[in-house]
Amino acid sequence: MREFLVEITTTVPQGTGQEEVDRRRAAEAVRARELAETGRLARLWRPVGELRSIGVWRAADEEELHEKVLATLPLRPWMTLTVTPLESHPNDPGRYDGTK
């Protein structure tokens, strides 16, 4: 699977009730755990003082990432995404394959 850096900004539509927001956020937490368990969501951060997320996500390709991973998020209709495909760097201290 390829890795992608995904920046997510979620904007709740004006007039949306708090009950709907809470329901979607709870469902989002469940879905994120499921995606992490299957290896699709590798890491997720929130920049200090910001209401956005930055994560490392995995999929076969960018099409699959959008259609079969990110599209399954309950908050997706409210999200703006920036997706950057990643490749390993030869000097990455966290390389898992042990090659040089």
Side-chain angles (χ1 to χ4, degrees):
M1 278 196 279
R2 295 195 58 197
E3 291 186 320
F4 299 86
L5 181 70
V6 181
E7 297 179 56
I8 301 170
T9 302
T10 304
T11 305
V12 177
Q14 209 169 25
T16 304
Q18 190 60 48
E19 186 176 301
E20 175 68 8
V21 173
D22 293 345
R23 183 188 69 74
R24 285 187 186 237
R25 285 188 176 151
E28 185 83 7
V30 169
R31 185 65 183 135
R33 278 192 302 277
E34 292 170 351
L35 291 167
E37 289 170 0
T38 63
R40 299 301 184 147
L41 174 57
R43 297 294 309 268
L44 192 61
W45 299 270
R46 174 166 288 148
V48 175
E50 296 184 34
L51 295 176
R52 66 186 183 103
S53 301
I54 300 171
V56 175
W57 298 75
R58 295 183 180 127
D61 55 37
E62 195 166 339
E63 182 179 341
E64 181 183 83
L65 176 71
H66 282 283
E67 293 179 8
K68 298 193 177 177
V69 180
L70 299 172
T72 69
L73 297 170
L75 291 172
R76 177 61 187 102
W78 300 347
M79 291 177 172
T80 302
L81 306 171
T82 302
V83 175
T84 305
L86 301 172
E87 61 183 29
S88 67
H89 189 286
N91 298 329
D92 177 7
R95 283 184 68 154
Y96 56 88
D97 62 8
T99 63
K100 297 279 180 191

